Amino acid sequence: MREELKDLTSKSRHEFIGKFGRTGFKSGYKGYKPTILLKEITLVDNNGNNTIVADHLWLNYTKGFLELGELEIDDLIKFNARVNRYLKGVKGYRYAKVPDYGLSYPSKVSIVGNKTVRHPMPIKDPNALIGYIMKKNKYFYVSENRGYNEWYVNCYEGWLNK
């Protein structure tokens, strides 16, 4: 389904809308990196038409997304981004790499049509942010044995109490 992204140039920014799914994190060489799952990503063209370009995409949970406050499932998020090509690992006999397309450098991030006040997010405390993500998705991380750590959750709860 991401073939539609393939046709877009990576040299220019495009406007997209996606539904918030959930938060997560990935392991990086400097520790955990927060991520955000968007579903049903559509490209908004100059005429205001929307074309579905991906059923879901994981993006870095950048400051632009964090400044929106605590997101709710299915919030519509509008943003600009560049298309990027990367090699995706696929499990098999050997760990094969296949080309895939994603979005990077999101900017002009906003919630579509929802003006309710949101709880703030720990923008400047990366450990508290990872703790928020772990606490919010505790069942998943514990049941899948995927790196749940109470220390990060305590960092988040300490941030809440400040």
Side-chain angles (χ1 to χ4, degrees):
M1 177 149 211
R2 295 183 189 172
E3 288 299 312
E4 288 82 1
L5 289 174
K6 180 180 179 180
D7 298 332
L8 300 174
T9 176
S10 63
K11 294 186 185 335
S12 59
R13 302 180 75 70
H14 305 279
E15 186 175 59
F16 299 93
I17 296 176
K19 283 185 182 179
F20 173 71
R22 70 178 180 92
T23 56
F25 61 86
K26 59 186 175 182
S27 295
Y29 67 94
K30 290 187 176 181
Y32 293 130
K33 300 285 236 173
T35 57
I36 182 171
L37 173 65
L38 297 180
K39 305 178 293 184
E40 300 172 25
I41 297 27
T42 58
L43 170 68
V44 180
D45 68 15
N46 294 333
N47 299 324
N49 299 322
N50 293 355
T51 305
I52 295 178
V53 293
D55 60 347
H56 77 282
L57 286 171
W58 284 95
L59 288 90
N60 291 331
Y61 201 176
T62 60
K63 183 178 177 185
F65 292 113
L66 289 167
E67 287 176 340
L68 300 176
E70 186 173 22
L71 297 170
E72 299 172 8
I73 302 245
D74 291 339
D75 274 343
L76 286 177
I77 311 223
K78 182 164 58 170
F79 61 99
N80 291 352
R82 294 182 190 272
V83 175
N84 67 309
R85 182 180 183 268
Y86 66 97
L87 294 175
K88 179 179 181 178
V90 178
K91 290 183 179 178
Y93 176 71
R94 294 193 177 193
Y95 205 66
K97 300 282 188 175
V98 296
D100 202 0
Y101 298 88
L103 301 176
S104 59
Y105 306 108
S107 64
K108 297 183 181 178
V109 181
S110 63
I111 297 177
V112 177
N114 191 332
K115 304 296 182 196
T116 61
V117 176
R118 307 291 177 126
H119 294 287
M121 296 296 290
I123 295 172
K124 295 183 179 179
D125 188 341
N127 293 331
L129 179 56
I130 295 299
Y132 165 81
I133 293 167
M134 287 182 178
K135 183 175 182 173
K136 201 75 169 160
N137 301 304
K138 180 178 181 177
Y139 177 78
F140 170 77
Y141 290 121
V142 170
S143 66
E144 297 292 320
N145 197 22
R146 298 282 287 275
Y148 181 83
N149 188 323
E150 276 298 325
W151 182 82
Y152 287 102
V153 175
N154 290 336
C155 288
Y156 171 65
E157 290 172 350
W159 176 85
L160 275 177
N161 293 327
K162 287 183 182 178

